[in-house]
Amino acid sequence: MSPLSSNAPHGQSPLRTVQVLGGGNAGSSAHVRSLAEGLVARGVRVTVCAPEEADRAHDFTGVGAEHVPVPRSSDPASVAALRAACADADLVHAHGLHASFRAVLALGGRATPLVVTWHGRARAEGARAHLLRLLERRVVRTAAVVLGTSSDLVDRARRRGARDARLAAVGLPGRRRTPPACGPTADPDRPRAKVRAELGTTGRPLLVAVGSLDRHRGHDVLLDAARAWRGLDPQPLVAVAGEGPLRPVLQRRIEDEDLPVRLIGHRDDVPGLLAAADLALLTSSWESRPVLAQEALYARVPLVATRVGGVPDLVGDAAELVPYGDAQALAATVVTLLTDHERREQLRERGVRQAATWPTEDETVAQVLSVYDELTQPRPLT
């Protein structure tokens, strides 16, 4: 019997793992919460080292994990707090580049196995890009196993010198194996018609994009494409959910060019927005396993996305893919879909089938447990 069984064999103590989070990525934080819940349910002791705000947002203690507050900073005090938390761990699992680097510093050459999951990639230019490459190399050469959430992240880890890099199974938290036969129901107090009325899209198509208002999200390209939709009748409205540093710039363009786009800020009701949408748009320069793409396919909402990173592998033939930065291709694809009911229905059905191939939360936990099992040995009772 594996030492990772929920009921540890006689003479063995439960595995103790430390999950290390930087706290800056909502997707990786949600993944760690889901992973912690599954591990605890199987008898594994889990400590999550993450900033206080990450625990407030994701409630790691609510699923049975211990939370140790560790700031995102790599200063000596932060590393010392992490070192203390990892002192009696059987295995440390860090999520993201910066959290992984802090884990490397905290372990300081100890024999404790380190597993690293890369959920995305850091972006930088010039001297900072060189520094990031050095950090990546240090992390992957220290880690026993690197898990990448997309094949290009696995390839990146191998290029940096990883001894063992594998594709991670990452289920979308809270999702079943089989998507619903129709889109997820919005909050009962906010049905589809009410959401569309609130956004001013009664009698006109609603296009939904979700993501921080940062340069790599491609919102400038989205606005370029929106110019082509001004002449449509009825004119579609693009609702962009998210906040970020580019909001003033984007808002100025929307007003100056009279674009059919609304910046609606941070929203907690993205499934409800998608349930009200005619199309979902993803225009980023790079993504691994974007939550928007997964939610759109689950919701049976036709998706137009950029052909970047892990997106093609994630969506298969269940979405329309366009080159990043090509506003003309984006505009033309949206116009075609809005006028082609049969193609939209085809994408909805393909989306259901594609979503059924994605790993569940249980399968995600099972893969991680199998990795842990490889790296740990039976432990005597203390």
Side-chain angles (χ1 to χ4, degrees):
M1 182 182 295
S2 164
L4 302 177
S5 167
S6 59
N7 295 308
H10 180 70
Q12 295 180 23
S13 59
L15 183 81
R16 179 173 184 263
T17 72
V18 173
Q19 307 288 322
V20 184
L21 260 175
N25 184 301
S28 59
S29 296
H31 168 70
V32 169
R33 185 188 193 278
S34 172
L35 183 59
E37 183 175 21
L39 292 173
V40 169
R42 290 160 177 79
V44 178
R45 295 173 56 203
V46 178
T47 297
V48 178
C49 293
E52 290 279 14
E53 58 269 23
D55 186 53
R56 286 195 297 269
H58 297 278
D59 191 22
F60 304 118
T61 54
V63 296
E66 177 189 1
H67 172 245
V68 174
V70 177
R72 294 186 64 191
S73 170
S74 292
D75 64 31
S78 178
V79 173
L82 185 56
R83 181 180 298 116
C86 296
D88 62 345
D90 297 302
L91 181 143
V92 175
H93 189 165
H95 301 262
L97 176 59
H98 295 289
S100 301
F101 182 65
R102 286 196 296 277
V104 169
L105 295 178
L107 289 174
R110 291 181 193 167
T112 307
L114 173 65
V115 177
V116 166
T117 296
W118 279 359
H119 298 266
R121 68 181 190 188
R123 299 171 179 83
E125 299 175 355
R128 180 167 169 76
H130 176 67
L131 175 60
L132 284 173
R133 285 194 294 273
L134 293 177
L135 293 182
E136 289 175 346
R137 190 174 297 121
R138 173 76 179 276
V139 164
V140 302
R141 291 181 178 182
T142 303
V145 174
V146 178
L147 300 173
T149 57
S150 63
S151 58
D152 63 327
L153 286 175
V154 174
D155 292 340
R156 186 183 184 94
R158 288 171 178 162
R159 290 195 303 271
R160 297 290 186 259
R163 291 174 285 169
D164 187 341
R166 313 177 192 181
L167 187 64
V170 180
L172 186 64
R175 284 298 181 182
R176 302 188 298 266
R177 157 64 72 193
T178 305
C182 57
T185 304
D187 186 303
D189 296 326
R190 297 174 56 78
R192 173 184 170 93
K194 187 172 182 179
V195 173
R196 293 177 68 92
E198 175 206 330
L199 296 175
T201 56
T202 300
R204 61 192 292 203
L206 172 62
L207 317 181
V208 169
V210 179
S212 58
L213 304 184
D214 297 311
R215 184 175 59 176
H216 75 276
R217 296 289 185 178
H219 292 312
D220 56 334
V221 180
L222 178 57
L223 297 192
D224 290 342
R227 284 201 296 263
W229 305 327
R230 292 180 301 186
L232 298 181
D233 186 19
Q235 185 185 81
L237 175 71
V238 184
V240 181
E243 288 290 356
L246 291 184
R247 183 183 182 101
V249 175
L250 297 174
Q251 187 62 50
R252 190 177 308 115
R253 276 198 61 188
I254 292 168
E255 295 170 0
D256 290 347
E257 300 173 36
D258 192 27
L259 300 176
V261 179
R262 282 189 60 188
L263 306 180
I264 60 175
H266 175 76
R267 301 286 291 237
D268 294 322
D269 61 341
V270 170
L273 288 173
L274 286 171
D278 296 285
L279 299 178
L281 306 178
L282 180 68
T283 56
S284 302
S285 63
W286 188 89
E287 296 278 359
S288 175
R289 294 182 64 86
V291 172
L292 174 65
Q294 296 177 72
E295 291 283 11
L297 267 59
Y298 273 116
R300 294 172 53 89
V301 176
L303 171 69
V304 181
T306 43
R307 189 183 290 107
V308 296
V311 174
D313 289 341
L314 178 68
V315 303
D317 64 354
E320 296 284 5
L321 299 180
V322 299
Y324 169 70
D326 192 335
Q328 184 175 357
L330 175 62
T333 301
V334 167
V335 170
T336 298
L337 275 182
L338 289 176
T339 57
D340 190 341
H341 174 77
E342 183 176 343
R343 177 59 176 162
R344 295 198 306 273
E345 284 300 311
Q346 183 182 58
L347 289 176
R348 290 187 182 104
E349 295 307 313
R350 288 181 177 179
V352 170
R353 294 196 295 271
Q354 182 68 15
T357 69
W358 296 336
T360 63
E361 289 181 276
D362 281 345
E363 288 165 345
T364 300
V365 174
Q367 185 206 38
V368 169
L369 281 173
S370 71
V371 172
Y372 292 178
D373 201 12
E374 291 176 32
L375 300 176
T376 56
Q377 298 296 321
R379 295 159 304 285
L381 282 171
T382 57

